[in-house]
């Protein structure tokens, strides 16, 4: 989804992390895939699947990022689309990952589309920062991330509409009965 004739702007390392440090007011993520295959999560996903307890220091760096943003008056909101039967990865998110994010201050919402048609949301993961910067998170079918692409000249009104639709259609994590 880059501008015709231009090379995509791919984000990695500190250039990517800077978006979470430097945004001014809001960060929103639409999370549409049912499985993500992230190398840095492989051990914790395996441990979760084996029935191990969640480590006390699980995801502390990310939780501190959330706390820092919330303390600075910035919001972090996420809408996660789920479908039943829940994948093992989604079960891991619901049991291990999301509770800590919520405790740290992220407004995490769940949109269960098992028995509902998609209300018009894209099948594309993205982060939107300050209602003006959009980054697509591109994945292979197995959930392996391909890249993070800064969308040049995005249709912000469309992304805002998708954000609003996702948030309005979802329930807060605390209200989602996943067990």
């Amino acid at each position: 989804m880059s501008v015709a004739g231009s090379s995509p702007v791919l984000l990695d390392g500190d250039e990517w992390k800077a978006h979470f440090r430097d945004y001014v007011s809001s960060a929103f993520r639409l999370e549409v895939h049912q499985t993500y295959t992230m190398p840095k999560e492989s051990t914790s996903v395996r441990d979760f699947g084996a029935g191990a307890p969640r480590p006390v220091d699980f995801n502390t760096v990310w939780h501190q990022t959330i706390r820092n943003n919330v303390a600075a008056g910035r919001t972090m909101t996420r809408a996660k689309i789920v479908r039943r039967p829940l994948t093992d990865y989604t079960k891991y998110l619901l049991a291990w990952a999301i509770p800590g994010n919520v405790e740290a201050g992220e407004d995490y919402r769940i949109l269960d589309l098992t028995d509902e048609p998609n209300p018009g949301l894209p099948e594309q993961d993205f982060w939107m920062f300050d209602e003006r910067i959009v980054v697509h998170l591109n994945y292979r079918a197995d959930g392996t991330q391909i890249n993070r692409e800064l969308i040049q000249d995005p249709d912000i009104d469309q992304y805002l509409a998708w954000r609003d639709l996702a948030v309005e259609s979802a329930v807060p994590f605390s209200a989602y009965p996943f067990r």
Side-chain angles (χ1 to χ4, degrees):
M1 270 188 104
S2 57
V3 176
S6 67
S7 297
V9 176
L10 304 180
L11 301 175
D12 206 3
D14 194 59
E15 189 176 22
W16 170 237
K17 292 176 185 175
H19 284 282
F20 295 95
R21 284 192 313 266
D22 300 341
Y23 76 91
V24 176
S25 62
S26 65
F28 170 78
R29 164 108 187 246
L30 179 64
E31 197 169 282
V32 303
H33 295 281
Q34 303 307 295
T35 298
Y36 295 92
T37 308
M38 307 297 286
K40 68 179 184 176
E41 292 181 330
S42 63
T43 300
S44 59
V45 170
R46 182 197 66 224
D47 291 349
F48 167 77
R54 181 176 62 193
V56 174
D57 64 346
F58 179 76
N59 229 0
T60 55
V61 172
W62 179 246
H63 296 157
Q64 190 58 52
T65 297
I66 296 168
R67 281 194 281 294
N68 291 346
N69 285 319
V70 171
R74 299 183 292 243
T75 63
M76 293 186 79
T77 306
R78 191 178 321 217
K80 166 73 177 144
I81 293 175
V82 300
R83 292 179 178 88
R84 292 182 185 269
L86 300 176
T87 64
D88 290 341
Y89 185 85
T90 296
K91 292 174 187 175
Y92 157 78
L93 282 181
L94 294 170
W96 276 29
I98 298 173
N101 291 11
V102 171
E103 289 170 18
E106 185 174 5
D107 178 6
Y108 215 118
R109 296 172 171 268
I110 306 296
L111 176 53
D112 192 328
L113 295 181
T114 302
D115 298 319
E116 303 292 328
N118 184 322
L121 295 169
E123 293 294 328
Q124 173 68 55
D125 278 53
F126 66 87
W127 276 100
M128 179 171 52
F129 301 94
D130 294 327
E131 299 184 345
R132 62 182 182 80
I133 298 168
V134 175
V135 178
H136 281 188
L137 303 158
N138 299 312
Y139 295 90
R140 292 187 180 93
D142 72 352
T144 303
Q145 191 171 73
I146 299 167
N147 59 37
R148 298 176 202 98
E149 180 182 358
L150 179 66
I151 302 304
Q152 301 173 28
D153 196 27
D155 180 351
I156 287 298
D157 289 338
Q158 180 62 74
Y159 285 94
L160 291 170
W162 284 332
R163 178 204 58 196
D164 294 347
L165 178 60
V167 169
E168 291 167 9
S169 302
V171 299
F173 171 71
S174 62
Y176 183 66
F178 67 92
R179 289 188 170 85

